[in-house]
Amino acid sequence: MQTSPRSLPALTVLAVAVSAAVLVACGGGGANPSAPGAGTPVAQGVVTGFGSVYIDGERYDDSAAETAVEDADGRRQATLLKLGQRVRALHDGQGKASHVVVDAAVTGVVTAVNGAAGTLTVAAQTVRVNADAAAGPVTNFGGGYTALADVQANDDVEVHGSPVYDAAMQRYVIQATRVEKLASRSHYRVSGSVAALDGDSFEINGLTVAYTAGAVKPSGAVLANGGAVVVFGTQLSGGTLTATAVRVLKADALVPPARTQVALGGFVSARDPAAGTLVVDGQTVRLGSVTPTPAGAVPAVGSYVKLAGVMAADGVVDAQRLSVRTVVAGDELAKVRLAGEITDLADAAAFLVRGVPVDATGVTPGAGCPSPLVDGTPVRVEAQAQAGTDVVLATRIDCDPPAGARPRELLSQGLMWPVDAASRSFTITDARTQAQVTVRWDDKTVFLGLPRPDSTQPQTQVLRTVRVEGYQEGNTVLARVVRDLTLPVGRREGDRFRPGVAPGAGAGAGAWTEYRQKVQQSHH
């Protein structure tokens, strides 16, 4: 029997909502709506693509969704979604998302890097990265990192992943799906379950947390061993984090009712064949009569799985379907999916889609695609993540548009654009087509590097080099992200492949040359 210690660091607990406005149940894309009286469906897992957002291979329409991170008090702040992040997407049961909340496992300072073991240490948490697609999801890197070798002690980082028990270390490690270097950091954040609780301290997987009663949130919440918490703090010394806030998850919001449709992706951290249960990312799952797919697959500890099921009254998910990630052709859990317009094309085999650099070497685009591919072509790309680079390797390219809202990406290079804050719209001249495009924004639009226009201001003229990411709606584009490309805020990994955006000789075509040289060296 594969089991785990009681001190399982439940990085997120499916049976708990982190805020009443974003209720955490789970529901798969395209799933039927929950039964009457049940909670709102939510998908919880890893971001594997864009154009809408793909979570463990399932597409969720995010054209009208708020994307955010939550602070110590549960307030939400708009943010960008990135490959490898763990997220929770509240949706309507038919795959249309209203909220997508980003859940990091740990944020803090790197205190050690062990290249031979493939690990780093952050806030006393051991983080393991993976560069072998045959062993599981390849760890995504960001913020200037492309591999573990780039990570240095004293770097500020944000880590996404799930707990997996390491028998040799006799403790849980975080199996990372994303490691990102941060330009700045205001606090430590550690998620897990309480152990060794006494009057003024407890432990999370080797980290001592010192707290006061006033730091426990919400007011009246009670800490207990085994309870799931998210800890925020600003001081970490000698292995002790002084908490400014301890959010007790079960006391922090509503528990989803029974019969709520749920979906969950993550690493298996415990398995009890006799009881027929798994623990996936801190959530207990009852398998019942479900047969894992593909045929013969076993959801062993450390394997990555995706499941759909129903929340039971006892807080356990009763699985209806379960897939185990493999590296066989066609495995949705091993794919990156992108849908949108080709931008920043260097040549027919090197371009960006939704800000992600794509290597299309050896791929023959499908019927209906122009030959060669050109900037502005709407495409759907299936690809694989690669170790040591943020370039994904395409395995299929089609040019028929995806169902739902059409993704758009526009660039205005230093042109005057009139802003009408009252009607929440502005007009830009797209640098590629030279066409005038009206762009609208709403409360869910993320502005990066420029202030959100105030509706009390008169119509103004603003000089910006902006990139707009959004969706076509009739004759206008509804913006999801508006960012000033001249500033580092909100910069993405793919920006260094955009000519004139990222600083340095490696930007634009030089970045592609560097990538191809690395590929050639790996083949020798």
Side-chain angles (χ1 to χ4, degrees), residues 46-49 54-58 83 130 132-140 267 293-294 304-306 323-338 381-387 391-396:
V46 173
V47 174
T48 57
Y54 288 84
I55 302 174
D56 291 321
E58 294 280 355
L83 289 176
N130 177 41
D132 182 5
V138 172
T139 303
N140 290 269
F267 292 97
T293 59
Y304 195 93
V305 302
K306 179 179 73 173
S323 301
V324 181
R325 184 191 183 278
T326 67
V327 292
V328 300
D331 188 337
E332 294 299 321
L333 288 175
K335 292 180 182 178
V336 174
R337 289 184 175 272
L338 304 168
V381 177
E382 293 182 5
Q384 296 174 337
Q386 304 183 93
V391 179
V392 299
L393 185 63
T395 56
R396 177 172 177 168

Side-chain angles (χ1 to χ4, degrees), residues 71-127:
D71 64 15
D73 294 317
R75 293 185 297 261
R76 297 191 299 277
Q77 180 179 353
T79 191
L80 295 177
L81 296 180
K82 301 174 183 178
L83 289 176
Q85 288 177 329
R86 283 202 64 84
V87 297
R88 292 166 288 131
L90 184 73
H91 65 95
D92 64 357
Q94 300 297 330
K96 189 173 182 64
S98 58
H99 298 82
V100 182
V101 179
V102 177
D103 287 318
V106 59
T107 300
V109 179
V110 177
T111 55
V113 180
N114 187 331
T119 63
L120 61 148
T121 304
V122 183
Q125 310 301 294
T126 300
V127 177

Side-chain angles (χ1 to χ4, degrees), residues 219-296:
S219 178
V222 177
L223 290 172
N225 283 321
V229 296
V230 180
V231 178
F232 295 82
T234 57
Q235 294 184 350
L236 176 60
S237 177
T240 298
L241 176 64
T242 301
T244 56
V246 179
R247 293 181 58 191
V248 181
L249 297 188
K250 284 191 177 181
D252 204 32
L254 304 174
V255 175
R259 298 176 294 163
T260 296
Q261 291 290 324
V262 303
L264 175 64
F267 292 97
V268 176
S269 54
R271 176 172 175 249
D272 188 339
T277 59
L278 304 173
V279 177
V280 180
D281 200 49
Q283 172 64 48
T284 302
V285 178
R286 204 162 22 230
L287 295 179
S289 60
V290 168
T291 299
T293 59

Side-chain angles (χ1 to χ4, degrees), residues 501-512:
V501 174
W512 283 112

Side-chain angles (χ1 to χ4, degrees), residues 74 87 104 188 191 232 239 275-276 280 287 301 318 348 383 441 463 467:
V87 297
Y188 287 88
S191 303
F232 295 82
V280 180
L287 295 179
V301 169
D318 286 323
W441 76 86
L463 181 62
R467 185 171 291 274

